[in-house]
C-alpha cells in the first residue's frame, strides 16, 4: 500500500518553488487586513461595515465570521443571535492565516466565551503589529445582563492581546468599573483601561455625554487627546463603532501612527453618520461610501 504524499502548503507556484507573498506582491498591493466579526444581516454593523470601511480606505479586507445576527422586525427589532460553530470559526482562521502574511486584525462581535477562546488561540498562533479590539458586549437595544460572561472572558483572554481598544460608553464603564457621566470620567476610564491592557485606548462618549459635541478620549500612556465633532442628532447610529474601529485598523495597516489613525477614523465615521442610510429599524446606518464624494 502506498501512502498519499503530504500536501504542501502554501502550494508550489508554476515555477516549482513555494510561492511567497513577497514574490507576488507589488508595491501597490494593499495591506491585507482581517476582521473577526459577526454578520449583521441588514448591513449596518458587523463584518459588513468592516469590509466596506476597509475597501473605502484602500486595504484588502478578509473576514472570519463569528456569529450571525438577524434583527427581528416582529419583536421590536430584537437581536436573533446564532453563533458560528467553533470548528468553523477555527477553520476560517486557519484558511486566512495560512493564505496571507497578516499584520493587522480587527476584532468585532465575538459573542460567546467559547468563541473568545477559539479566537484567542488563533491570535496567539502568530505575531501581530496591530490588534484592534472593538469590545462589543451588547448592541443597540439589547439587554446588558446577557453580556456578563462574555465581558469576563473578553477581559481575561482578549484584552491582554489588544494593541488598540475602542470601548463605547457602556463598554468603557464595564471595563474600567467606573460610572461615566462627564468628559473627565471618560478620561479617567481611558487611563484605567490603558493601565489594565497596555493598549492604546479610544474611549467613545458618542451621544451619551451631554453637550453639543460627540467626544472621544484618546490615551496611549503619554498623549491624552479629546477628539470632538459636532453631534449629528441625538440618536445613535448602527455601525458607528464597527466603522470607527475598522477605519483605525485600516489606517494602522497602511502604516499610520495610532493618533493619526484615530483622527482619520473619527473624520471618516462622522462623514458616514452625516450621510447615514435611513432604515425602518429604530436606528439608521452609517454610509461608509460618503467620504468618497
Ligand atoms: O454595533 C455592534 C455590532 C457588532 N457586530 C454585530 C452586530 C452589532 C450590533 O447590532 O449585530 C454582528
Amino acid at each position: 500500500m502506498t501512502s498519499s504524499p503530504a500536501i504542501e502548503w502554501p502550494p508550489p507556484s508554476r515555477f516549482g518553488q513555494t510561492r511567497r507573498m513577497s514574490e507576488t506582491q507589488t508595491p501597490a498591493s494593499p495591506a491585507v487586513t482581517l476582521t473577526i466579526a459577526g454578520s449583521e444581516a441588514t448591513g449596518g454593523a458587523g463584518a459588513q461595515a468592516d469590509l466596506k470601511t476597509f475597501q473605502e480606505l484602500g486595504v484588502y479586507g478578509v473576514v472570519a465570521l463569528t456569529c450571525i445576527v438577524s434583527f427581528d422586525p416582529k419583536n421590536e427589532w430584537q437581536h436573533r443571535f446564532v453563533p458560528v460553530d467553533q470548528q468553523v470559526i477555527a477553520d476560517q482562521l486557519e484558511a486566512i492565516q495560512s493564505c496571507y502574511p497578516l499584520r493587522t486584525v480587527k476584532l468585532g462581535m465575538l459573542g460567546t466565551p467559547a468563541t473568545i477562546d477559539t479566537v484567542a488561540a488563533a491570535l496567539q498562533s502568530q505575531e501581530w503589529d496591530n490588534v484592534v479590539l472593538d469590545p462589543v458586549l451588547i448592541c443597540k437595544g439589547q439587554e446588558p445582563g446577557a453580556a456578563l460572561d462574555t465581558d469576563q472572558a473578553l477581559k481575561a483572554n482578549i484584552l491582554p492581546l489588544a494593541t488598540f481598544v475602542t470601548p463605547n460608553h457602556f463598554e468603557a464603564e464595564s471595563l474600567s468599573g467606573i460610572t461615566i457621566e462627564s468628559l473627565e470620567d471618560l478620561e479617567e476610564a481611558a487611563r484605567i483601561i490603558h493601565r489594565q491592557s497596555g493598549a492604546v485606548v479610544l474611549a467613545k462618549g458618542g451621544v451619551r455625554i451631554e453637550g453639543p459635541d460627540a467626544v472621544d478620549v484618546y490615551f496611549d500612556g503619554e498623549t491624552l487627546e479629546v477628539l470632538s465633532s459636532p453631534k449629528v442628532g441625538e440618536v445613535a447610529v448602527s455601525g458607528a463603532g464597527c466603522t470607527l474601529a475598522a477605519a483605525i485598523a485600516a489606517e494602522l495597516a497602511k502604516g499610520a501612527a495610532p493618533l493619526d489613525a484615530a483622527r482619520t477614523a473619527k473624520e471618516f465615521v462622522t462623514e458616514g453618520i452625516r450621510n447615514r442610510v435611513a432604515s425602518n429599524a429604530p436606528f439608521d446606518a452609517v454610509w461608509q461610501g460618503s467620504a468618497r464624494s
Side-chain angles (χ1 to χ4, degrees):
M1 215 173 83
T2 54
S3 61
S4 53
I7 294 171
E8 192 182 343
W9 188 258
S13 75
R14 283 185 289 144
F15 304 108
Q17 288 161 336
T18 297
R19 208 166 357 143
R20 302 190 38 229
M21 282 306 287
S22 55
E23 292 166 19
T24 54
Q25 265 186 329
T26 68
S29 289
V32 179
T33 308
L34 167 63
T35 178
I36 306 178
S39 164
E40 190 277 275
T42 70
Q48 288 87 336
D50 293 347
L51 289 179
K52 287 176 228 178
T53 302
F54 288 169
Q55 187 74 15
E56 288 298 328
L57 293 176
V59 297
Y60 184 86
V62 289
V63 57
L65 274 191
T66 55
C67 60
I68 298 184
V69 170
S70 318
F71 300 145
D72 184 356
K74 304 182 297 308
N75 184 21
E76 296 176 350
W77 302 89
Q78 291 291 318
H79 287 57
R80 291 174 290 199
F81 168 86
V82 180
V84 170
D85 179 84
Q86 293 309 308
Q87 189 58 52
V88 178
I89 297 173
D91 289 350
Q92 295 175 78
L93 288 165
E94 182 188 22
I96 295 165
Q97 290 180 290
S98 303
C99 219
Y100 302 114
L102 295 162
R103 304 303 309 169
T104 301
V105 57
K106 184 236 149 169
L107 308 173
M109 186 191 271
L110 303 180
T112 71
T115 300
I116 284 171
D117 288 347
T118 303
V119 170
L123 290 178
Q124 281 164 322
S125 72
Q126 67 160 90
E127 287 184 3
W128 302 91
D129 294 331
N130 308 299
V131 177
V132 180
L133 170 62
D134 185 14
V136 180
L137 295 176
I138 53 167
C139 298
K140 288 179 185 75
Q142 258 189 318
E143 281 300 317
L148 283 180
D149 55 351
T150 302
D151 179 20
Q152 295 304 326
L154 202 74
K155 267 189 208 162
N157 300 336
I158 300 287
L159 194 58
L161 305 176
T163 62
F164 202 127
V165 59
T166 62
N168 64 20
H169 180 268
F170 171 76
E171 293 149 0
E173 284 192 335
S174 172
L175 293 175
S176 68
I178 67 168
T179 302
I180 301 170
E181 285 169 351
S182 63
L183 179 57
E184 291 69 36
D185 295 338
L186 195 62
E187 291 177 3
E188 177 61 12
R191 288 180 188 278
I192 293 171
I193 297 167
H194 172 75
R195 218 178 298 134
Q196 284 170 346
S197 63
V200 177
V201 179
L202 185 64
K204 300 171 287 181
V207 294
R208 309 242 169 224
I209 307 269
E210 267 182 43
D213 292 333
V215 287
D216 301 334
V217 172
Y218 172 95
F219 184 62
D220 60 15
E222 284 177 11
T223 304
L224 186 140
E225 185 161 310
V226 178
L227 306 184
S228 157
S229 60
K231 280 181 188 166
V232 187
E234 286 289 330
V235 179
V237 172
S238 170
C242 306
T243 302
L244 185 82
I248 289 171
E251 291 302 305
L252 293 173
K254 291 188 291 183
L259 181 54
D260 290 334
R263 287 184 183 137
T264 304
K266 172 97 173 165
E267 274 171 36
F268 182 81
V269 81
T270 303
E271 195 58 27
I273 292 172
R274 230 176 257 135
N275 296 294
R276 56 176 79 180
V277 177
S279 89
N280 292 327
F283 29 80
D284 295 340
V286 176
W287 168 223
Q288 289 84 5
S290 70
R292 232 182 295 162
S293 48

